[in-house]
Amino acid sequence: MGYLNIDGQIFYNMVVNASNKLEEQKNFVNSLNVFPVPDGDTGTNMSMTLRNAVLEIADAGEKSIDAIGKQLAKGALMGARGNSGVILSQIFRGIANGIEGKKQVDSSELGSALEEGARFAYKAVMRPTEGTILTIIKAAGESAVKSDKKDITELLEEVCDYSKTVLDKTPDMLPVLKKAKVVDAGGMGLLIILQGMYEALKDHMEKLHLKEADNAKIQPAAKNLGEQNIKYGYCTEFLIHSQVPDIENFRKELKKIGDSMVVVKDEDIIKVHIHTNDPGWVLSKAVKLGELSKIKIDNMREQHRHILNIDDFKEDSSEEKAHESGENQTERKKYAFISVSIGEGINGIFKDLGVDYVIEGGQTMNPSTEDILNCIEKINAENIFVLPNNKNVIMAANQAAELSDKLVKVISTKTIPQGITAITAFNSDMDLDENISAMEKAITTVATGQVTYAVRDTEVDGKDIRQGDILGLIEGSIKQVGKDKFQVCGDIIDEMTGGNSELISIYYGDGCNEEEVNDFIKKLEKKYEDMDIQCYNGKQPLYYFIVSVE
């Protein structure tokens, strides 16, 4: 027995099975990542987006397909993770638009809804690229509209077959796929969803249950350091109004008496941030360069004891309450920041620079639209900046900004170093447009490199890569392949530095030995004696080193 019409309950079963099928195969979709690096997360993003959508309709009961479609689209919108997840959410938004006002749909109406899903998906992308998930949803919609099948099971079988044929051609549409010898990961994820919907009808599946998935974590103000681990007790930051052209000697002097140091010059203002045990000494050196303003000194040991005392007193307070700093403020701030980050050390750097909320994620776990929106809603500020720090988070951040009724500006930072540079370029004395301009200009001066490892054998740009090889990436492109992470890191730094380079920042991850890192830094200091070299324990997973050159 086929299906000439499907109602809300049948549609529910279709998307639940699609979600379960994608959850089972998400690692396979992840493995289709063009580059053989360990952060391929398309399958994870799409699976978690769809799962969040299905959770929205879990208790729907006997409802019309219109009602189910609207709730599904809302859940996908809020749960969207990564670019593929945001596009998927727009596909479901389009489908919901196509079935609006209907209790059930026939094959022709479902075909039109799939075509509407494609239209919404293309609208969501500024520069649509063929050979991606967009091509597959377009193929699904076109084949559904052209089909003369009345049985919806037969219709979806035809849609799946044609979509797979088009998916197999994506390497011919995108040279990067052909070189990597893979089909598009997002397209494969969508095909699995379509196949799951088809199989639910073919096998008359009912009363299905969702598979579990992890959630991104939001990190409140740095509370994870024991007081005994706070080597330098005073967080010191200020501005120097100075015409001094060279600040390298000042940087070198500060480096001797603190850590977490950021010294950035922008025209006639020098922004300084440092953790030290002698803030008076720092200020006495700084005042020789010019007039000081915006001086702020915090006793981090005292703050830590205060946090512990609060937690001891409020034994019944939940983790969620610990995050609620924004809306509970008695005074509305002019500016606030939300930053996506990864690694305890890097999280701490963002908090030290004044970020109000850090959302842990970026690689392998992109935060959802709802994760970002929740942080936006908790902040009591006139202007809120969001730093995605990953190209795969920008769309979700923009979507969250559009959903909020607050004034939210997404600074399109694609890397952790860009995010750090953006916030150091911020000046609370400037107006919104001036700050946006300053931050967007600042991130263009940052070159970013990464050192990681290959997860599979492949060939990229003529480079023969074997599983386990050390890879050196510059702006996302594989530039170096080797066996030693320090050698590869040194090689990409060589390639990144030029005549105008002044600062090298290195964030080392979980897979690095501190003594070996210190030896490596000493070698770099000898090699680049005219440049300032800063090193931080980022504690990030997957990447041995994240490097920036400015």
Side-chain angles (χ1 to χ4, degrees):
M1 181 183 72
Y3 294 87
L4 296 180
N5 296 280
I6 57 172
D7 59 15
Q9 188 58 49
I10 296 172
F11 189 52
Y12 169 81
N13 291 329
M14 290 166 64
V15 292
V16 170
N17 190 58
S19 179
N20 287 343
K21 189 174 181 70
L22 182 57
E23 177 68 21
E24 291 169 1
Q25 299 189 52
K26 67 182 181 183
N27 289 331
F28 164 64
V29 177
N30 288 341
S31 73
L32 298 176
N33 186 39
V34 170
F35 289 122
V37 296
D39 63 358
D41 50 10
T42 300
T44 300
N45 285 335
M46 294 183 71
S47 179
M48 294 187 73
T49 299
L50 183 54
R51 179 177 184 274
N52 199 82
V54 176
L55 283 172
E56 192 70 25
I57 58 173
D59 301 318
E62 299 292 332
K63 288 192 175 181
S64 67
I65 195 169
D66 168 38
I68 294 293
K70 286 178 179 175
Q71 287 179 264
L72 191 73
K74 176 187 174 185
L77 181 71
M78 299 302 288
R81 296 174 187 272
N83 294 342
S84 57
V86 172
I87 293 171
L88 182 61
S89 75
Q90 293 302 309
I91 290 172
F92 279 110
R93 186 180 169 198
I95 291 173
N97 189 65
I99 59 179
E100 186 175 5
K102 304 181 187 298
K103 290 186 176 180
Q104 58 183 19
V105 297
D106 59 21
S107 61
S108 175
E109 290 168 325
L110 180 61
S112 295
L114 285 172
E115 191 173 52
E116 192 74 346
R119 187 174 73 84
F120 271 68
Y122 271 83
K123 278 173 59 180
V125 180
M126 187 175 297
R127 288 183 289 274
T129 301
E130 296 302 333
T132 65
I133 184 175
L134 295 174
T135 302
I136 306 309
I137 186 57
K138 181 171 69 174
E142 288 176 348
S143 64
V145 169
K146 291 177 182 177
S147 176
D148 59 359
K149 303 293 184 185
K150 301 298 182 183
D151 185 328
I152 295 176
T153 308
E154 294 177 359
L155 171 75
L156 285 181
E157 182 179 21
E158 203 171 81
V159 166
C160 288
D161 289 345
Y162 183 67
S163 297
K164 184 180 185 306
T165 299
V166 175
L167 178 67
D168 290 340
K169 295 177 180 178
T170 55
D172 295 325
M173 302 178 199
L174 277 178
V176 68
L177 295 176
K178 195 162 194 172
K179 287 181 181 179
K181 300 176 183 177
V182 294
V183 297
D184 180 67
M188 176 58 77
L190 181 59
L191 176 61
I192 291 169
I193 291 171
L194 294 170
Q195 290 172 336
M197 295 172 75
Y198 159 67
E199 289 173 8
L201 294 183
K202 179 173 69 75
D203 299 333
H204 299 280
M205 296 180 180
E206 296 181 1
K207 297 179 181 179
L208 301 174
H209 300 283
L210 281 175
K211 296 183 181 297
E212 293 298 321
D214 298 325
N215 292 318
K217 297 177 181 178
I218 298 176
Q219 298 292 337
K223 172 184 158 179
N224 44 16
L225 292 174
E227 184 177 341
Q228 66 275 13
N229 294 324
I230 300 176
K231 183 177 180 181
Y232 297 103
Y234 296 94
C235 176
T236 306
E237 52 185 319
F238 52 90
L239 300 178
I240 309 173
H241 300 268
S242 173
Q243 298 291 336
V244 175
D246 185 12
I247 57 173
E248 292 309 310
N249 289 334
F250 179 59
R251 277 196 180 121
K252 289 176 181 178
E253 285 186 281
L254 293 194
K255 193 174 181 181
K256 299 172 185 176
I257 53 99
D259 63 8
S260 296
M261 185 183 77
V262 177
V263 180
V264 180
K265 189 175 189 300
D266 181 17
E267 296 182 355
D268 60 347
I269 294 178
I270 304 168
K271 185 161 187 173
V272 180
H273 173 280
I274 187 171
H275 290 178
T276 180
N277 286 327
D278 194 347
W281 186 91
V282 173
L283 295 176
S284 69
K285 292 291 182 182
V287 77
K288 295 177 182 177
L289 298 181
E291 184 178 336
L292 308 186
S293 68
K294 299 292 181 183
I295 299 171
K296 182 172 173 285
I297 301 172
D298 292 322
N299 185 331
M300 295 187 294
R301 296 187 182 97
E302 182 179 59
Q303 288 177 336
H304 180 76
R305 288 192 294 270
H306 178 63
I307 290 170
L308 293 181
N309 288 338
I310 289 175
D311 287 346
D312 290 340
F313 182 71
K314 297 182 179 178
E315 292 180 359
D316 61 343
S317 66
S318 66
E319 182 183 4
E320 182 63 27
K321 287 181 182 178
H323 298 158
E324 294 176 359
S325 61
E327 290 297 350
N328 290 334
Q329 293 168 346
T330 57
E331 185 178 344
R332 186 174 175 84
K333 299 171 65 174
K334 184 176 180 181
Y335 294 109
F337 279 88
I338 297 167
S339 177
V340 178
S341 177
I342 188 166
E344 183 183 330
I346 294 174
N347 295 348
I349 291 171
F350 278 115
K351 295 304 298 187
D352 291 339
L353 289 172
V355 169
D356 298 81
Y357 276 89
V358 172
I359 305 177
E360 187 161 347
Q363 300 303 139
T364 73
M365 181 57 73
N366 297 146
S368 69
T369 298
E370 187 170 24
D371 289 331
I372 300 169
L373 184 60
N374 283 343
C375 288
I376 291 171
E377 296 309 311
K378 289 171 187 173
I379 291 176
N380 186 14
E382 295 176 28
N383 308 285
I384 301 172
F385 293 109
V386 179
L387 304 174
N389 302 332
N390 186 296
K391 65 180 182 180
N392 208 29
V393 179
I394 294 173
M395 285 183 74
N398 283 325
Q399 194 157 262
E402 290 173 7
L403 290 170
S404 176
D405 58 3
K406 297 183 179 181
L407 204 166
V408 181
K409 176 61 182 179
V410 178
I411 305 298
S412 298
T413 52
K414 297 179 180 179
T415 66
I416 293 293
Q418 281 189 355
I420 291 172
T421 297
I423 198 168
T424 57
F426 168 77
N427 185 340
S428 60
D429 288 335
M430 295 195 303
D431 65 26
L432 177 62
D433 290 338
E434 287 174 327
N435 268 309
I436 291 171
S437 177
M439 287 189 280
E440 289 181 342
K441 179 182 176 182
I443 64 177
T444 64
T445 67
V446 184
T448 302
Q450 299 161 314
V451 178
T452 184
Y453 56 91
V455 295
R456 58 181 168 84
D457 295 353
T458 189
E459 181 182 329
V460 177
D461 295 333
K463 298 178 178 64
D464 191 26
I465 298 170
R466 293 288 174 262
Q467 183 177 347
D469 281 352
I470 305 298
L471 306 179
L473 290 76
I474 299 177
E475 307 300 349
S477 297
I478 298 173
K479 297 296 185 180
Q480 299 290 336
V481 180
K483 300 297 182 183
D484 181 88
K485 55 182 173 285
F486 293 100
Q487 180 64 48
V488 170
C489 187
D491 290 342
I492 64 169
I493 289 173
D494 276 347
E495 198 167 337
M496 292 166 67
T497 52
N500 296 324
S501 302
E502 297 178 352
L503 172 65
I504 300 172
S505 299
I506 298 172
Y507 309 84
Y508 64 94
D510 286 339
C512 294
N513 176 276
E514 187 173 359
E515 290 185 7
E516 293 177 342
V517 170
N518 289 336
D519 290 340
F520 176 60
I521 296 300
K522 289 176 182 177
K523 293 177 182 177
L524 290 178
E525 288 175 335
K526 289 181 180 178
K527 185 172 184 177
Y528 303 99
E529 56 184 13
D530 294 331
M531 295 181 63
D532 185 39
I533 299 176
Q534 299 180 358
C535 181
Y536 308 92
N537 186 357
K539 300 184 181 179
Q540 71 272 8
L542 306 180
Y543 287 84
Y544 298 115
F545 297 102
I546 297 173
V547 180
S548 68
V549 175
E550 301 175 55

